[in-house]
Amino acid sequence: MAFEHLCTLHIDRIKQRLGISGMQADVMAFTLRGDENHDGMQCDMLIVRRDNVVNLCEMKFSQEAFSIDRSYYFTLQHRI
């Protein structure tokens, strides 16, 4: 949680690195509680741009290189 909070404090730099620094956007986290019929999900940061594009940002803190395996790929596809 501390790393995610730190990222939200630096949203201007994140937008700059994504090449969208001049784009108006709303930034938020998203959580959907699961129930007996549906799985829940959580996205660390959504950048909802005025051009109707949404950047989905997952934040991972790691001392080593982070790679997406098959299982995590499908998790991300489900979130999209």
Side-chain angles (χ1 to χ4, degrees):
M1 293 293 289
F3 180 69
E4 292 170 11
H5 179 67
L6 181 65
C7 290
T8 62
L9 294 175
H10 295 280
I11 186 61
D12 291 336
R13 294 189 73 193
I14 292 171
K15 286 175 62 179
Q16 182 181 29
R17 295 294 292 178
L18 290 173
I20 59 170
S21 60
M23 178 74 61
Q24 289 184 326
D26 295 318
V27 179
M28 64 202 73
F30 177 78
T31 302
L32 177 66
R33 287 203 168 114
D35 59 25
E36 60 275 354
N37 299 315
H38 302 286
D39 291 337
M41 62 182 249
Q42 181 263 332
C43 294
D44 298 327
M45 181 185 293
L46 296 173
I47 303 173
V48 183
R49 299 169 16 183
R50 296 290 187 254
D51 62 353
N52 293 321
V53 173
V54 177
N55 293 98
L56 183 143
C57 304
E58 284 292 303
M59 298 162 196
K60 302 293 179 208
F61 177 82
S62 177
Q63 297 287 346
E64 301 172 12
F66 180 81
S67 62
I68 297 174
D69 62 14
R70 181 178 175 82
S71 174
Y72 193 65
Y73 169 81
F74 287 114
T75 297
L76 292 175
Q77 289 298 313
H78 175 71
R79 291 177 183 174
I80 292 170

